[in-house]
Amino acid sequence: MARNEERLHIVMFPWLAFGHMIPNLELAKLIAEKGHHVSFVSTPRNIERLPKVSPNLATLINFVKLPLPKVPNLPENAEATTDVPYDVVQYLKKAYDALEEPFTRFLESSNADWLFYDFIPFWAASVASKLGIGTVFFSIYTVPLMTFMGPAMFLTGAEPSPRTKLEDYTVPPLWIPFPTTVAFRYYEVVKIADSLSDNESGVADTYRLGRTIQNCDFVAIRGCTRFERQWFQVLEDIYQKPVIPVGQLPNTVSKEGEEKDTWQWMIDWLDKQVEGTVVYVAFGSEAKPSQEEVTEIGLGLEKSKLPFLWVLKLQRGPCDPEVLRLPEGFEERTRGRGVVCSTWVPQLKILGHVAVGGFLTHSGWSSVVEAVQNEKPMVLLTFLADQGINARVLEEKKMGYSVPRDEHDGSFTSDSVAHSLRLVMFEEEGRPYRENIKDVKDLFVNTENQERYIENLLNLLSERRAPNLMA
């Protein structure tokens, strides 16, 4: 166990989104592999939907189920962001905040050394600190995004923020001292405006983030210094506390039961395609395009003349009133050339297939990591949250090419989709994207470096054991 001879007990408390829970589970597995105990806290239905851990880790990772309190306007059985339309997510936050009392009771009986918590439960750190438990804000968001959001004093409103209007988020802030194009587009900021101010949950996301940063002992963050060195330095200067990289946490989980049948027909189809010609299209578990966007994406795939495998989320939960439809006649016109799937798919295996030559993605960081792992160049189409900042980072490093869009409303055309796909996958102008994704792989996802990050993290946790143990 290197320097951390004594076994630690770490509690992990991620936000109720699979884009948060899965990276937390990956980190939990890496910690458990070193012999430490992890209590992974979430709601019953989410825990049931998480991939199963391997038998050798099952005794070290304990899944703790806390029933989600009922709140008005939140549908029955809605326990994750993917279960509800976007405008209902604020009520999910309200229910999550109501977990404070049962979560406190669990911590009181846990004998935990450390709490790793997300930014939505900003109250969790003060609960843990009163019990003598050390606190770590574990950010699944990237270092550029956290740096762009800025110091806690501005986020909490303790000092007047230099950002007074949405347009202020479309330029790099003054606290970033090096030249960069990393900022939101206007249409991206408009979509997340409810996160930047008061909302139905009663607490703005920016305030939650600011309090989370202020109250933790230190920050652990998904990323690696070899890829983002400048950003890490600025973030530590802003936060005035240690910022510890935990690596990119490449996905190793699978859903064995679902995967076997789904993968069989997919691999049969992929095996028949010419190497490097298939476009894989997927926008993660959260993003749901509008009907207009689905139409343009579909027609763009059709115009590209490329074979495609499109994972399309038709609804965000059973209560979503808008069910997406494919363009009229689309399936008939593309039959034999393309496949549309509306259920879960084994994305990592698809990206690893030699037939896949490009990835049309929302720029969610887990998908980005999987693309780099498998050396697939990316065409970028952002929808919400951190995706705009991720896309700018990928654009700067020429790892991904964004579909051209109207800067104000974010609209795009089928022609721009078709052109972007062909450029990145086949044209001379897109060569840098195809080459850079291979060149950056070792810098980005490296097993030895991932191992080193976890060792460094655990050594720090052992040295700075919870205050009650150091007294």
Side-chain angles (χ1 to χ4, degrees):
M1 268 195 239
R3 294 171 60 193
N4 33 281
E5 295 298 332
E6 284 192 51
R7 291 190 176 186
L8 297 168
H9 178 196
I10 295 167
V11 174
M12 305 193 82
F13 191 41
W15 165 230
L16 306 177
F18 283 95
H20 290 240
M21 288 183 277
I22 295 297
N24 271 267
L25 183 57
E26 288 294 347
L27 181 58
K29 288 164 60 180
L30 291 167
I31 290 170
E33 283 173 0
K34 301 296 181 183
H36 301 284
H37 181 69
V38 178
S39 291
F40 191 103
V41 182
S42 193
T43 64
R45 188 160 176 249
N46 287 333
I47 287 173
E48 290 303 319
R49 288 184 286 182
L50 284 171
K52 301 295 181 255
V53 299
S54 59
N56 63 309
L57 298 180
T59 57
L60 292 167
I61 301 178
N62 177 40
F63 290 95
V64 179
K65 299 178 180 179
L66 296 184
L68 192 66
K70 294 184 185 302
V71 298
N73 302 311
L74 187 66
E76 192 77 21
N77 294 322
E79 296 186 12
T81 53
T82 191
D83 297 331
V84 293
Y86 181 75
D87 60 353
V88 180
V89 169
Q90 305 303 345
Y91 301 107
L92 190 65
K93 292 173 187 171
K94 209 166 191 174
Y96 196 57
D97 288 339
L99 280 174
E100 182 172 355
E101 185 181 335
F103 183 68
T104 301
R105 289 200 302 271
F106 164 71
L107 282 185
E108 286 171 343
S109 64
S110 69
N111 198 29
D113 296 302
W114 290 95
L115 167 66
F116 279 49
Y117 69 113
D118 218 321
F119 81 99
I120 296 295
F122 64 102
W123 40 264
S126 54
V127 170
S129 296
K130 288 174 186 172
L131 298 172
I133 298 169
T135 57
V136 180
F137 166 37
F138 173 42
S139 172
I140 61 96
Y141 294 117
T142 63
V143 180
L145 183 279
M146 301 306 286
T147 307
F148 181 85
M149 292 308 296
M153 59 189 179
F154 296 149
L155 294 166
T156 60
E159 292 190 20
S161 172
R163 291 166 168 152
T164 58
K165 55 188 184 300
L166 292 182
E167 287 82 357
D168 294 333
Y169 288 88
T170 65
V171 293
L174 293 174
W175 52 80
I176 298 179
F178 51 84
T180 182
T181 58
V182 173
F184 285 108
R185 302 281 189 255
Y186 181 76
Y187 60 85
E188 293 167 337
V189 180
V190 169
K191 283 190 175 182
I192 60 168
D194 61 328
S195 298
L196 305 173
S197 59
D198 291 341
N199 53 54
E200 291 298 329
S201 77
V203 186
D205 284 7
T206 44
Y207 180 84
R208 291 176 188 270
L209 178 58
R211 292 295 291 163
T212 297
I213 295 161
Q214 288 175 334
N215 291 343
C216 68
D217 293 326
F218 67 90
V219 177
I221 194 161
R222 188 181 195 180
C224 56
T225 51
R226 294 175 72 210
F227 182 69
E228 303 153 312
R229 189 174 303 280
Q230 283 180 297
W231 293 97
F232 267 99
Q233 185 57 58
V234 176
L235 195 60
E236 278 209 329
D237 292 343
I238 289 173
Y239 287 177
Q240 292 295 294
K241 59 181 62 179
V243 176
I244 310 301
V246 299
Q248 299 291 5
L249 304 176
N251 192 351
T252 60
V253 298
S254 65
K255 297 185 177 182
E256 295 298 340
E258 294 176 71
E259 185 170 300
K260 190 174 180 183
D261 294 338
T262 306
W263 178 236
Q264 189 55 57
W265 71 256
M266 284 186 176
I267 197 171
D268 289 345
W269 183 81
L270 286 167
D271 283 347
K272 295 172 186 173
Q273 310 306 315
V274 176
E275 181 176 338
T277 62
V278 175
V279 181
Y280 175 57
V281 185
F283 305 121
S285 60
E286 308 298 318
K288 179 194 164 192
S290 68
Q291 182 58 61
E292 184 181 351
E293 288 168 337
V294 166
T295 299
E296 295 302 320
I297 293 165
L299 295 177
L301 289 169
E302 188 177 340
K303 289 177 180 179
S304 75
K305 306 294 186 188
L306 297 171
F308 61 86
L309 176 52
W310 184 6
V311 183
L312 178 60
K313 188 180 185 67
L314 299 175
Q315 284 179 285
R316 278 183 61 133
C319 296
D320 187 347
E322 186 184 6
V323 182
L324 297 175
R325 303 178 312 279
L326 292 168
E328 190 173 348
F330 173 79
E331 290 174 283
E332 291 76 17
R333 294 192 301 272
T334 60
R335 182 166 283 119
R337 178 163 68 83
V339 177
V340 180
C341 184
S342 60
T343 57
W344 179 87
V345 301
Q347 177 164 291
L348 197 57
K349 287 188 173 183
I350 294 169
L351 286 170
H353 198 283
V354 293
V356 175
F359 184 14
L360 178 55
T361 174
H362 59 311
S363 309
W365 206 248
S366 290
S367 289
V368 170
V369 173
E370 292 180 0
V372 176
Q373 275 180 281
N374 291 287
E375 302 179 359
K376 306 300 184 187
M378 289 172 276
V379 177
L380 313 173
L381 197 59
T382 63
F383 293 98
L384 50 85
D386 59 328
Q387 295 162 15
I389 297 298
N390 295 347
R392 299 302 96 72
V393 171
L394 298 171
E395 290 165 11
E396 268 196 353
K397 295 178 179 289
K398 283 201 174 294
M399 295 165 61
Y401 176 86
S402 287
V403 174
R405 302 171 79 161
D406 181 285
E407 288 291 318
H408 190 76
D409 66 14
S411 60
F412 56 90
T413 66
S414 56
D415 288 335
S416 65
V417 172
H419 169 74
S420 301
L421 291 171
R422 296 202 66 87
L423 182 149
V424 168
M425 290 176 64
F426 299 110
E427 294 176 12
E428 183 60 30
E429 189 182 342
R431 182 182 295 275
Y433 301 100
R434 299 191 293 274
E435 292 180 347
N436 286 350
I437 206 74
K438 295 175 183 176
D439 293 342
V440 80
K441 180 179 178 179
D442 186 63
L443 189 70
F444 197 85
V445 282
N446 176 290
T447 305
E448 290 180 9
N449 287 331
Q450 181 65 73
E451 180 84 4
R452 194 177 305 118
Y453 287 131
I454 298 303
E455 283 289 350
N456 289 343
L457 173 68
L458 291 171
N459 286 337
L460 181 64
L461 294 176
S462 294
E463 289 166 3
R464 299 191 180 196
R465 296 195 69 147
N468 64 332
L469 296 179
M470 296 191 294

